Every structure is written in C-alpha cells, then in structure tokens.
C-alpha cells in the first residue's frame, strides 16, 4: 500500500520523539562548568595556603600592633630614651651590633647553630624573648623542666629584677652550672635564665605571651621587659624570617629533593584518570525510560513456594505447627472465640460442642509436634476431621435454633 504525502506526515508526527531537549543539555553543561570552577577555586585555595610565607609582622614583632606583636614594649622602651633599630636580615644585624648594644630577638628558628653564634658574639648583651631546646643546648644554659602554675617573683641576685613584681612564666628550665635562675619554683626550676659567664650577658625567657601587646599590661610583665631590654641605650631588635635563613645554603634536603621523580607524574595521571572516570560515569545515554515492573504475586504461588521449602527441609514439626495454627484460627472463628484464644480454650470449646473427651483435643491442638512424616500425615488428617466435625455441629445447631 502506498501512503500519500499527507498520510506519511501524519504517521511521522504520531511517532514518539527520540531527540534530547536542548534545555537538558544546557543544564548538564552548566553543571559541569560549575564543578570545574569549584575544583579550580579549591586548588587555588590549597595552593595559597601551601605557598604563602608566614606573616613578617607576627609574634613579638616590634612593629606589629596585633595582639601577638610587641609594638607596645618597643614604644615603652623608646619613651624611656632607648634607641631601637629593627632589622630583618643577619647582614643588617651584624652591621648594627656593637659591644654596647643589646641584641633582642625571638627564637631564631631560621638560622643554623653557626649563624646564631656568629650573630650574638659581638653583642654585649643578648635577650631571647622566646625559647627553644636548641638554644638551651647551643648556649649551654640548662634543660627544660616541668611548668609550675602560679605567680612568681624574681628571687635571684640580678639587681635590675628586684622591683619587677610577679609574673606567670610560660616555661621553666633547670639552670646549668654558672647560670642564674630567676622566678624559681619550689623544685629550683626557673622561668628566666641569666648567663653572665665570660663577661657577656645572655638572658632567655619564654615571653611569647608575657611581652605581647595583649598581655604586657598584666602583672609585672612590662617591668620585666624594661629590666631585660633597658641595660643599654642602643637596642638592635632582630626579627627572624624564613627569607633570611641559611639552613638551605648548608645543603638541607627539601621536600622536592626527597621525593622520587615519578611521584609528580603519577599524581597527575591519577587525577586525570579520576576526572575521566567521573565524566564517563556521569554521562547519561538518552532520556530516562519509564518501565512498569510486575509486582503482583498470587497467594497460591506463595503457599506452594513455602510448602516446597518446608518439604525440601524435611521439617515435619514446622509443617505441623503451620497446619495447627491455621486450624486454631478457623476453629476459633467457627466456635465464636476471639483470635487471641489459647489452644486450650479452643480445645475446651470444641469438646463441649462435640461432646468428646477434652484430653484428646488438648493433645491434638496443644500437644507435642510430630517428629516424622507419618506422624505429620496423621496429625493433618485428624485436624481436618476435627474442623469438619465442628463445622457440621455448628451448622446443625444453627438450623435447629428456632
């Protein structure tokens, strides 16, 4: 049969469309763009955290007004007439230091042992405002000790500390031989170490909190800072930084040097593979198709299935229990009892209705379950006969009732 042009057009129009809507494609593309942008922003954020150097205006920085800075202590020293020179490189520090200069700095974490010794050698007075185990070993000042809580006074033979009041040391040390300990606890450990050996004074204290802008006004913190830094009119305040380190110049291994050459390409390859897997698994081949699944199961099929399982397991007791439960429910309904009636109650009601001994019915409805197939068959037959007899008796009574 030949179709006309109009019939062909109508037939084609009746067919379901298999084209994917442009709106769906656009939405999918926008979703992938958003994911890519989020990944790029996350990578930039992680890179910024990883490669940003520490803030040069950090802890105990004499030019920092932050809570952790030491600008307040520096200004107090200037008000007392001291001249403070803030330096941020070793070269500037060595050029500014002389024998009548007080060198002030936090723990020089960025310098090697030789660089620290070279830096403090020309100074007549050195004050470390924060401590480190390396400094204790390098300067032979003592060892770390347990921290003791409470307020402490100087209690040492250092005249300038006599009127500094009380402080709460952040760290305690066990002084080495020839080193004076101040702010001593009951065990003899000190919160401040003063070394006058060799005619050059070196003082060390953990003052990251004591001398900060936030806590300088507490207790005798400001008085202690004046006593430690005010021994000369010229103060050179060296601020350690990663940019001024000499450790790498000594050949210290970096993370890049310790990492095998194949690690970076492998990581990039794994990332690329992960992106390909995500894209491939995230694609959908065509529109979703609704499918009606069969959900109707006949009761007879369920019954036959359970029967086959019971027969296969050769569980006579379980099969007899199922038969007995069904008979009890049906007998209770025919005898006018509730669904919660006990087997003994059903047996008593059936005995009264049939006028037979109760013992046999109690044995059948509540006695031991059969142990083999022969007893199971006998039990099933007796239950069927009992239901038939009860049904007949009830039917006769109903017909004879006027």
């Amino acid at each position: 049969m030949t179709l006309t042009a109009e019939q062909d057009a109508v037939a084609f129009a009746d067919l379901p469309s298999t084209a994917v809507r442009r709106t769906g494609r656009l939405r999918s593309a926008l979703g992938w763009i958003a994911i890519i942008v989020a990944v790029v922003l996350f990578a930039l954020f992680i890179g910024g955290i990883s490669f940003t150097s520490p803030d040069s205006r950090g802890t105990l920085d004499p030019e920092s007004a932050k809570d952790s800075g030491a600008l307040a202590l520096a200004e107090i020293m200037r008000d007392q007439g001291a001249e403070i020179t803030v330096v941020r490189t070793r070269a500037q520090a060595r050029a500014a230091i002389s024998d009548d200069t007080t060198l002030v700095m936090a723990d020089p974490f960025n310098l090697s042992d030789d660089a620290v010794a070279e830096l403090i050698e020309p100074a007549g007075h050195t004050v470390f405002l924060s401590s480190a185990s390396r400094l204790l070993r390098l300067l032979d000042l003592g060892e770390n000790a347990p921290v003791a809580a409470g307020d402490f006074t100087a209690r040492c033979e250092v005249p300038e500390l006599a009127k500094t009041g009380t402080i709460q040391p952040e760290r305690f040390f066990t002084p080495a031989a020839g080193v004076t300990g101040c702010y001593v606890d009951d065990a003899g450990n000190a919160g401040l170490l003063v070394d006058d050996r060799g005619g050059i004074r070196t003082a060390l204290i953990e003052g990251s909190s004591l001398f900060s802008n936030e806590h300088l006004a507490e207790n005798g913190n400001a008085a202690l800072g004046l006593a430690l830094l005010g021994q000369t009119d010229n103060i050179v305040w060296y601020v350690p930084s990663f940019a001024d380190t000499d450790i790498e110049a000594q050949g210290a291994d970096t993370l890049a040097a310790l990492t095998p050459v194949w690690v970076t390409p492998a990581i990039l390859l794994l990332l690329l593979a992960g992106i390909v897997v995500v894209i491939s698994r995230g694609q959908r081949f065509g529109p979703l198709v609704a499918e009606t699944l069969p959900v109707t199961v006949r009761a007879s099929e369920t019954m036959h299935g359970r029967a086959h399982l019971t027969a296969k397991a050769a569980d006579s007791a379980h099969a007899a229990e199922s038969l007995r439960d069904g008979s009890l429910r049906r007998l209770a309904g025919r005898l006018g009892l509730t669904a919660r009636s006990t087997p003994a109650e059903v047996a008593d009601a059936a005995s009264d209705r049939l006028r037979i001994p109760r013992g046999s019915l109690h044995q059948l409805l509540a006695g031991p379950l059969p142990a083999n197939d022969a007893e199971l068959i006998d039990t099933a037959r007796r239950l069927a006969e009992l239901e038939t007899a009860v049904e007949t008796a009830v039917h006769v009574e109903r017909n004879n009732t006027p």
Side-chain angles (χ1 to χ4, degrees):
M1 182 179 68
T2 304
L3 296 176
T4 64
E6 293 181 357
Q7 292 175 335
D8 191 12
V10 172
F12 181 77
D14 292 336
L15 293 176
S17 175
T18 60
V20 181
R21 295 171 59 186
R22 293 183 177 273
T23 304
R25 289 183 177 180
L26 179 60
R27 185 178 303 171
S28 177
L30 291 176
W32 281 111
I33 292 175
I35 293 175
I36 294 173
V37 171
V39 171
V40 171
L41 292 177
F42 179 76
L44 293 176
F45 174 74
I46 295 298
I49 294 177
S50 303
F51 297 105
T52 300
S53 60
D55 186 7
S56 60
R57 302 294 188 269
T59 304
L60 296 182
D61 190 304
E63 296 178 340
S64 174
K66 297 180 181 178
D67 289 343
S68 60
L71 179 60
L73 179 58
E75 291 300 323
I76 291 176
M77 295 305 304
R78 290 190 178 97
D79 292 340
Q80 297 298 318
E83 181 180 351
I84 298 180
T85 303
V86 179
V87 295
R88 300 185 181 274
T89 65
R90 287 176 295 143
Q92 294 175 347
R94 285 195 299 266
I97 294 174
S98 61
D99 55 0
D100 62 345
T101 299
T102 298
L103 174 62
V104 181
M105 59 179 160
D107 169 35
F109 56 87
N110 59 317
L111 302 182
S112 63
D113 292 352
D114 294 339
V116 173
E118 180 184 355
L119 185 63
I120 66 176
E121 182 179 1
H125 187 192
T126 302
V127 178
F128 290 97
L129 298 181
S130 65
S131 60
S133 299
R134 185 185 67 140
L135 291 177
L136 296 175
R137 171 187 55 79
L138 178 62
L139 303 177
D140 190 22
L141 296 177
E143 299 177 352
N144 291 308
V147 176
D151 296 335
F152 296 86
T153 57
R155 296 170 54 189
C156 62
E157 297 179 358
V158 180
E160 59 266 26
L161 301 179
K163 298 182 180 181
T164 55
T166 62
I167 67 169
Q168 294 180 351
E170 305 173 49
R171 191 172 180 179
F172 279 80
F173 315 95
T174 301
V179 177
T180 302
C182 301
Y183 303 98
V184 182
D185 62 7
D186 296 336
N189 300 318
L192 168 65
L193 300 178
V194 180
D195 183 13
D196 289 324
R197 294 174 296 183
I200 300 176
R201 168 165 291 187
T202 301
L204 182 142
I205 187 173
E206 180 53 53
S208 300
S209 177
L210 295 176
F211 303 131
S212 65
N213 297 328
E214 182 179 7
H215 300 287
L216 185 63
E218 299 175 2
N219 301 325
N221 298 349
L224 176 59
L226 288 171
L228 292 177
L229 277 61
Q231 299 307 303
T232 62
D233 294 333
N234 297 321
I235 299 175
V236 175
W237 199 314
Y238 171 62
V239 181
S241 65
F242 286 107
D244 193 39
T245 183
D246 69 324
I247 297 178
E248 184 177 356
Q250 293 182 346
D253 290 332
T254 62
L255 180 61
L258 296 174
T259 303
V261 294
W262 55 268
V263 171
T264 300
I267 293 175
L268 295 177
L269 182 60
L270 289 175
L271 290 175
L272 180 60
I275 294 174
V276 171
V277 170
V278 169
I279 294 176
S280 61
R281 299 293 294 177
Q283 286 183 340
R284 191 175 68 200
F285 299 99
L288 295 177
V289 178
E291 181 179 0
T292 303
L293 299 177
V295 295
T296 303
V297 179
R298 295 181 179 178
S300 59
E301 294 180 4
T302 304
M303 180 186 67
H304 291 155
R306 295 180 62 182
H308 284 306
L309 289 176
T310 303
K312 186 176 182 180
D315 191 356
S316 302
H318 185 270
E321 184 179 8
S322 299
L323 293 174
R324 179 186 287 178
D325 290 342
S327 296
L328 286 172
R329 288 194 302 271
R330 289 188 291 272
L331 288 172
R334 291 166 184 169
L335 294 172
L337 302 178
T338 64
R340 297 184 179 181
S341 300
T342 63
E345 293 174 348
V346 175
D348 292 341
S351 175
D352 294 340
R353 193 65 59 89
L354 299 177
R355 306 183 189 283
I356 59 178
R358 299 183 178 183
S360 60
L361 293 184
H362 276 273
Q363 183 70 17
L364 176 62
L365 298 178
L369 296 172
N372 51 53
D373 291 344
E375 295 179 0
L376 174 62
I377 294 173
D378 181 64
T379 299
R381 178 183 57 77
R382 293 173 60 192
L383 288 173
E385 293 175 352
L386 176 61
E387 290 188 42
T388 301
V390 170
E391 179 68 27
T392 301
V394 171
H395 181 71
V396 171
E397 289 182 0
R398 289 177 180 174
N399 293 334
N400 294 335
T401 300

